[in-house]
Every structure is written in C-alpha cells, then in structure tokens.
Amino acid sequence: MEEVTDSAHVTCHMTSDQPKAKMGRQTCLLGLLALVITGKCTYSPEPDQRWMLPPGWVSLGRVDPEEELSLTFALKQQNLERLSELVQAVSDPSSPRYGKYLTLQDVAELVQPAPLTLSTVQKWLLAAGARNCHSVTTRDFVTCWLSVWQAELLLPGAEFHRYVGGPSETHVVRSPHPYQLPQALAPHVDFVGGLHRFPPTSSLRQRPEPQGVGTVGLHLGVTPSVLRQRYNLTAQDVGSGTTNNSQACAQFLEQYFHDSDLTEFMRLFGGDFAHHASVARVVGKQGRGRAGIEASLDVEYLMSAGANISTWVYSSPGRHEAQEPFLQWLLLLSNESTLPNIHTVSYGDDEDSLSSIYMQRVNTEFMKAAARGLTLLFASGDTGAGCWSVSGRHKFRPSFPASSPYVTTVGGTSFRNPFFITNEVVDYISGGGFSNVFPQPSYQGEAVAQFLKSSSHLPPSSYFNASGRAYPDVAALSDGYWVVSNRVPIPWVSGTSASTPVFGGILSLINEHRILNGRPPLGFLNPRLYKQHGAGLFDVTHGCHESCLNEEVEGQGFCSGPGWDPVTGWGTPNFPALLKTLLNP
C-alpha cells in the first residue's frame, strides 16, 4: 500500500490493485473536497440488507477499475404524509376528491427533495468525479456514471464484481460487501441502487398433463376462449378503438417476446374476438434471441383478456450491468407524464432478502403512481405461504412487492376439474400471507379480522404477522395455460404470472367503459374493492396453499373460505357483475 499526502496533511491510502495514475494528488484533492462537504464519518443506509449470491449465479471476479458504472441515488423526499392522504382521497369512492388524480407535475411539486438535499448530493457527486448525471421529473432519483475506482471511493466498503447467471446467462455487476455513505448524507439519501439486488428469476412451472378424464365437454388447457367463457366475456367485450385507453406489462427477466409469437398465438386462439395484431410500444430493449415463455405469456394474455386495447411492454428498461431493471422501471414511472392506466408486473422477492429502507422507498413510488390514477397489479408469487427459518424456527415468508399496501396483488386458482370449465379452487402454489414490514392498511381491516375470526384452518400464530398487510386482493386462473413461444405452442404453463395479466386485461376493459362514460380510470383499486366487499367477483371457498408447516399439519398454509382470504383474496372476475360494480359512481 502506498500513501499520498497533500499539503493539508491528509493521507490517502491506495492498494496495489488500484490504478496509481488515478490515485495520486487528484484523488486526494477530490477526497478532501468530499470531506469538506460531508465530513468523514460514515453510516450504512441499508444495514438490514442481506447479501447472498442467488442459486445459479457465479462470480467472474473483480471488475476492471477503469470500467464505467451507472449508479442510481434515491434522494429523500418531502411531504410523504400529505401524499398518503391524497392517495386515500382520490382512491376512496366516498371522498369528494375520488378520481381527481394528480398530474406528474403535481406529484413532483409535492415530493421533490429539499433544496439542501439537492445541493448537498450534487456537490458530493461532483467532488467524486461523477458525470452524465441526470434526474427524473420528480427530482428524487439521480443516475450518474462513474468508473469503478471512483464508485469504490465514493461508497466505502463496496467492491464491484461481475457475475453471470440465470437462464439467459445474464451478466451483472454487483458488490458482495455492504457500502457506506458519509454520515452527513443521512438526511439526504435513502439508498444507492445497483450494488446488491440481483435480477429475479421466473417461477413459472410447466405441470404434467392431467390423466384419466373423459372427453365430453372437455377443454385441453386454458386459452383465451376458456377464460372468456369462465369470466363471462362475450365477443363484444373488447376495446372500442376510440379512446386513449392503454395497458402495459413490465418484464425484468432478460426475457423478450416476439411479434411472430403474438401473431401465431392470436391465429390459434384469438379468432372469436377483435384484437390488436401487435404491441403499440416497447419501452426498453427488445432482444433478438430466443423468446422467453414468461415474456410471451405476459403479452399474449394481457392482449387477449384486454382485447383490442393499446398495449405497451416495458422490456428490461434502461438495462446496464450495474443497473436494477425493476428500479429503472420505477424511474420511468417518475419521468413520463402520460402512461398506460393499467400496469401488470410478474416480479417479486422475499421480503427478508431486501432492506427495509429499500422496500419503504419502493412503496412510496407506488404511492406516487396511485396518486396519479395508475393501477398497479403484482403477482402474489408461486410458493404458497413461503418458508424461512429464523433461529431454527420456521415462519411463513412474505413476498414483496406483493405485500405493498399500494398495489393490487393477484393470486391463483385452478378449475375444480382440470379439463372442464367449472367453479374454481385454490391453486396450491398461490402466494399469500401477511407482511412483516408493512402494517395492515385501514381499507382491509374489517375483511382480515373477519377471516381471522371465522377460519377453521388457521396456522399457528407464530408463523405469521396477523397485523401486517394481508394479500392477495384478488385472483384468477393460474394453472394450465397454453403459450406460444418461439413459434411453438406450449401447454400446461402455470403461475400467478398468468393470472396477473388476465386480471389486468379485464380491468382495462372496465376502464374502457368508464372512459366512454366520461369517468376517470379506476386508479388504485383496493379501497373501493374492500369497501364493496369484493362485489362482482366469484368467491373461491375451497382449497389451501402450500407452506412449510410440519408433517403433523400436512404442510398446508392458509385456506380459502367465504369472503376475503389470504390465498385468493376476494376471488376471481365475473366480468358483467364487476363492470356494473366498478362503473357505477
């Protein structure tokens, strides 16, 4: 290790694996300027962030110090209590402000960081040599480019490595060690994105074909016509083509859809209803390699359930090895004044794998979307109640963002008889439970209390947090879908990644009617959904999902029952009844 000392008697240390040309007097002066601005004490902004290399990922070693990184800094926001009040006001049908959504500029004026925060962070980044910095309209995220050696000086403790993994052999740059920030930045920065969180992997399953059934009146898997029959959609229940209504799905798996697959899917399964032949807009990059089943599923079923409605696809937006695709999607929401009304997302992480400050900040981003009248639907996950061990004791494992109080979470169901269009029962993989991070929102207090009081199959109370945000809110079929990917029809694809775009597409049809009747889009649905006790939905009352309970209780988690439950929510859509419920003032 060498030392470089300047005339102010401040010593900078450099290790032998850092480029000496870059670590001389210039770096020391930058360090001095940073110390003048911020002071030298440091703190950890995400102290509870667990770092674990996900299965299937391998380190390729340290990144070259001269390589460029893109990092995103989440700046502290203002007036969050007022934002929460406004979300409640515009989302509650009994409020005089119901449906009077804020514009992006309104939200920016409300939450943008204080001038001191903006100037402090700007000086800190400039002192470190950050360049090409750009902010979003709400000014609460700043993304900058730095070399690796600059980033490691800026964020003490960080050490950037390249990793490869996932089904697409994706490359990412992450730090296996926690990072620190100067203590003086504590009032100004929530977290730095691009250091720890790895891209998610798909939990879709391809189940074996059920055996041993007759042939009279059967169907051979879930297709758009099966969904339309079960949920009472007629050939006339499609977009009018005369409104500015739109919907979107977001994908973060390094998977891509192909237009040719959508064309083939609609040729095979879309002959009895009007539909769009192509996606209206792709935001992000659209790969030229093989299509992914999850990406194909999202697009094909959003565009067949929400038929003839303009559709956007967010495809790993803004992707760079050091960026988090989900975080980049949130930045896009904060930077576009005109967005689709409905967004469906099949993405989730275990709550315990994320830092609380990260989840709270993402939750605030969902509040911003709700204030603007956007409907965000997230898949509830495909591991039932989930399972993790704390000090040798098992507990259920909630998923985020499914557990956010400001999104509508979609669970999964199966037909009682897999080959017939019958009543639905719980799909045993359907994610659901109670958050360990977010308290129970007031809109669902009555429904959850009724479930806890009336359920005859409650797991032991030590397994879940009965006072947490409970999910899912609704459900749809999640078992046995046909998907076209790489021009090949693939049967028996299952997961809440299927139920989520289906429910989203049906809500888009309801938005179409609302817009044609001079009413605003639905916006954040949950306060109305719970206030109306799930009216317009088929109640799912049979079945339990999987969990990690011991063999004495047969491994089941929560079970469905009359009314709301943490397996299928309020139930699955009955389109004519749901339209009537959500169209009325």
Side-chain angles (χ1 to χ4, degrees):
M1 177 180 289
E2 296 186 19
E3 293 186 345
V4 180
T5 305
D6 81 338
S7 57
H9 307 292
V10 174
T11 300
C12 294
H13 297 276
M14 63 181 183
T15 57
S16 59
D17 60 348
Q18 290 172 318
K20 296 182 181 180
K22 296 290 187 180
M23 293 293 295
R25 180 174 298 276
Q26 178 187 10
T27 299
C28 236
L29 292 175
L30 288 174
L32 280 171
L33 182 53
L35 289 174
V36 169
I37 296 167
T38 65
K40 60 183 178 181
C41 296
T42 61
Y43 77 105
S44 176
E46 300 183 78
D48 55 344
Q49 173 72 56
R50 291 193 310 130
W51 195 93
M52 289 182 62
L53 187 63
W57 289 85
V58 177
S59 174
L60 301 178
R62 292 285 296 269
V63 180
D64 188 306
E66 298 292 342
E67 194 165 318
E68 296 286 301
L69 294 177
S70 172
L71 297 177
T72 297
F73 301 84
L75 277 55
K76 295 277 188 185
Q77 300 152 311
Q78 299 190 97
N79 303 315
L80 298 187
E81 190 171 324
R82 177 58 180 156
L83 177 64
S84 176
E85 293 169 357
L86 287 169
V87 170
Q88 177 64 25
V90 300
S91 307
D92 183 347
S94 63
S95 165
R97 284 208 59 164
Y98 178 64
K100 297 177 181 177
Y101 303 126
L102 278 65
T103 65
L104 177 59
Q105 194 57 45
D106 293 334
V107 172
E109 292 173 3
L110 185 67
V111 305
Q112 67 182 11
L116 179 60
T117 291
L118 295 172
S119 62
T120 301
V121 173
Q122 181 185 37
K123 291 174 183 176
W124 174 64
L125 291 172
L126 288 176
R131 55 201 164 278
N132 296 330
C133 294
H134 59 272
S135 183
V136 294
T137 301
T138 49
R139 304 188 73 185
D140 47 5
F141 286 106
V142 176
T143 300
C144 294
W145 287 87
L146 304 96
S147 63
V148 167
W149 68 267
Q150 289 173 323
E152 291 181 353
L153 278 176
L154 184 73
L155 307 170
E159 185 180 279
F160 291 94
H161 293 240
R162 178 167 282 104
Y163 297 87
V164 61
S168 304
E169 293 293 296
T170 304
H171 286 74
V172 300
V173 172
R174 296 290 186 268
S175 171
H177 306 298
Y179 66 97
Q180 302 278 313
L181 290 177
Q183 184 64 46
L185 285 175
H188 306 300
V189 177
D190 281 331
F191 67 88
V192 183
L195 281 94
H196 297 314
R197 289 165 286 274
F198 280 74
T201 56
S202 175
S203 57
L204 277 179
R205 311 183 186 190
Q206 192 171 5
R207 296 180 184 168
E209 178 179 342
Q211 302 294 321
V213 297
T215 59
V216 178
L218 62 76
H219 68 83
L220 298 176
V222 175
T223 64
S225 63
V226 170
L227 291 167
R228 296 179 82 83
Q229 183 175 341
R230 169 57 186 155
Y231 297 141
N232 293 320
L233 291 154
T234 70
Q236 287 71 48
D237 291 320
V238 297
S240 66
T242 62
T243 71
N244 62 353
N245 191 20
S246 57
Q247 58 190 0
C249 58
Q251 302 165 348
F252 314 112
L253 295 171
E254 289 299 307
Q255 287 193 7
Y256 308 100
F257 79 96
H258 288 173
D259 286 325
S260 58
D261 288 337
L262 178 61
T263 300
E264 178 66 6
F265 178 84
M266 290 301 187
R267 186 188 71 80
L268 291 172
F269 304 120
D272 56 354
F273 56 90
H275 57 266
H276 283 302
S278 61
V279 166
R281 181 177 173 187
V282 176
V283 182
K285 68 176 185 178
Q286 177 61 355
R288 297 182 180 180
R290 289 177 59 80
I293 294 179
E294 177 124 23
S296 304
L297 170 75
D298 285 345
V299 174
E300 289 163 8
Y301 281 92
L302 181 61
M303 293 185 68
S304 55
N308 218 38
I309 290 174
S310 177
T311 302
W312 295 20
V313 175
Y314 290 86
S315 181
S316 295
R319 182 73 176 88
H320 175 270
E321 284 185 332
Q323 291 178 340
E324 302 171 32
F326 178 68
L327 186 58
Q328 296 306 305
W329 174 70
L330 291 176
L331 267 64
L332 288 171
L333 296 188
S334 284
N335 213 33
E336 295 281 342
S337 58
T338 303
L339 290 167
N341 301 313
I342 302 281
H343 295 255
T344 74
V345 186
S346 302
Y347 158 80
D349 273 312
D350 298 322
E351 274 189 350
D352 60 275
S353 72
L354 301 168
S355 72
S356 56
I357 189 67
Y358 172 81
M359 287 185 280
Q360 295 289 355
R361 176 56 186 265
V362 171
N363 194 53
T364 299
E365 298 309 303
F366 295 153
M367 288 171 59
K368 288 160 58 179
R372 296 173 61 193
L374 305 181
T375 305
L376 306 183
L377 294 102
F378 277 81
S380 70
D382 299 335
T383 56
C387 180
W388 66 312
S389 180
V390 183
S391 302
R393 295 184 179 182
H394 285 108
K395 288 180 176 288
F396 293 160
R397 195 173 203 178
S399 175
F400 180 80
S403 63
S404 166
Y406 292 98
V407 305
T408 299
T409 305
V410 185
T413 61
S414 305
F415 283 125
R416 183 185 293 271
N417 183 319
F419 279 107
F420 294 87
I421 301 175
T422 60
N423 291 339
E424 293 160 74
V425 296
V426 169
D427 186 346
Y428 70 91
I429 67 171
S430 179
F434 294 78
S435 174
N436 291 321
V437 175
F438 300 102
Q440 203 165 98
S442 59
Y443 61 72
Q444 66 172 184
E446 179 185 345
V448 174
Q450 179 61 30
F451 168 78
L452 294 173
K453 183 174 71 173
S454 62
S455 176
S456 59
H457 297 94
L458 274 183
S461 60
S462 61
Y463 275 75
F464 65 99
N465 172 29
S467 63
R469 155 43 166 161
Y471 69 96
D473 306 297
V474 294
L477 284 162
S478 57
D479 183 24
Y481 278 67
W482 280 92
V483 180
V484 173
S485 190
N486 300 297
R487 304 217 179 174
V488 177
I490 302 170
W492 307 112
V493 175
S494 301
T496 53
S497 296
S499 56
T500 306
V502 167
F503 206 100
I506 288 173
L507 290 183
S508 287
L509 296 179
I510 294 172
N511 268 343
E512 185 83 358
H513 285 269
R514 289 181 62 85
I515 294 168
L516 289 171
N517 281 271
R519 294 182 181 137
L522 288 166
F524 177 43
L525 185 61
N526 291 10
R528 182 165 186 164
L529 182 70
Y530 283 81
K531 180 162 286 193
Q532 297 178 330
H533 301 282
L537 298 168
F538 291 119
D539 197 3
V540 179
T541 58
H542 292 89
C544 309
H545 64 184
E546 62 185 357
S547 78
C548 61
L549 280 176
N550 60 44
E551 295 177 0
E552 295 175 9
V553 246
E554 301 178 348
Q556 70 185 25
F558 296 103
C559 298
S560 63
W564 179 89
D565 57 70
V567 191
T568 60
W570 287 105
T572 63
N574 177 6
F575 179 72
L578 190 60
L579 174 63
K580 182 178 179 180
T581 297
L582 296 179
L583 188 59
N584 289 333

